[in-house]
Amino acid sequence: QVTLKESGPGILQPSQTLSLTCSFSGFSLSTSGICVSWIRQPSGKGLEWLATICWEDSKGYNPSLKNRLTISKDTSNNQAFLKITSVDTVDTAIYYCAQGIGYWGQGVMVTVSS
Amino acid sequence: IQLTQSPSLLSASVGDRVTLSCKGSQNINNYLAWYQQKLGEAPKLLIYNTNSLQTGIPSRFSGSGSGTDYTLTISSLQPEDVATYFCYQYNNGNTFGAGTKLELK
């Protein structure tokens, strides 16, 4: 059974760095073909793909945010991470992690506010 | 690749056949998925690779299309289908459409 759960700081101030963790079970990020992505959704708005990391450590980033994003993984502990630098209020959103396209976590709310 | 979904809001009655559209700015090569999102929940995968039904999804949902034009069809609308539907392309980068909100008339 595949499960994913996101965790984050809840609230942070503008200009800080947002660090998110995706803890998962039911699969391994060392298995060929497996990738984990981060997607976000501002309240009442649409979905935005942010980044993907795959089993062989290839990475992809949303071009509009690439300079601010860093995705990484800890295969031994079944975790994936996303860092977003220099956050602003527009980064306020629910952040989801997903394995492939079919398995999503419940999401974590992140608020950027001074 | 940009995805344009239409309509943005759709009102239909129980039992209606409903069709949602998703158009890409470039060829998507059938790497197109559809998600259903109910209020307060994470998106749920309905269809992948244009027309493959995800396990556990009712057969009233179906997908079709090719090139730049794709469609999600609900053959007989049920009350529990009230949700927002997003298309998603994974052929060239990764992009979501803006969504179609489906409500009961």
Side-chain angles (χ1 to χ4, degrees), chain B residues 84-104:
Chain B
T84 300
Y85 293 82
F86 295 96
C87 58
Y88 173 63
Q89 72 81 22
Y90 41 102
N91 174 59
N92 183 352
N94 304 74
T95 322
F96 289 92
T100 293
K101 185 176 182 179
L102 178 57
E103 63 179 26
L104 287 180

Side-chain angles (χ1 to χ4, degrees), chain A residues 48-69:
Chain A
E48 180 179 33
W49 172 78
L50 298 175
T52 297
I53 189 166
C54 295
W55 80 102
E56 81 289 35
D57 211 36
S58 65
K59 300 164 188 172
Y61 293 102
N62 185 319
S64 66
L65 294 162
K66 183 176 182 179
N67 291 339
R68 299 174 53 213
L69 301 177

